[in-house]
Amino acid sequence: MMPQAAVLTVVLQGPNKPWPHLEVTARDAHGAPVRITRTQQLVSARWIIRAHPDAGWQTPRTFDLRTARLGGEAA
């Protein structure tokens, strides 16, 4: 889906909005930003959040696409 991306940062923005608003940024293996479409953002964020519902989405999380591991707060 995003072969150039290595890490996704997922944010479920909420406190200042009446509903959750998913935000995703992608980076390559060297940490450089990768452009992804809004559709790619939404699909990947929803998939990651559904796969890890108990992760505490009040803070940003990083998901490593190479290892399929969810990390703590985004750097």
Side-chain angles (χ1 to χ4, degrees):
M1 185 170 149
M2 295 173 280
Q4 69 281 18
V7 177
L8 299 176
T9 301
V10 180
V11 180
L12 181 61
Q13 300 169 342
N16 299 330
K17 299 186 185 280
W19 60 85
H21 179 75
L22 298 172
E23 184 71 33
V24 177
T25 56
R27 298 204 172 270
D28 67 12
H30 304 288
V34 173
R35 292 184 65 162
I36 58 176
T37 66
R38 183 69 180 150
T39 301
Q40 290 173 315
Q41 290 178 15
L42 292 175
V43 169
S44 60
R46 289 176 182 157
W47 176 77
I48 293 167
I49 289 171
R50 287 182 181 146
H52 302 280
D54 299 326
W57 291 101
Q58 295 79 12
T59 58
R61 300 291 179 169
T62 56
F63 185 78
D64 191 322
L65 294 166
R66 300 163 294 185
T67 63
R69 292 185 186 231
L70 184 68
E73 280 194 36

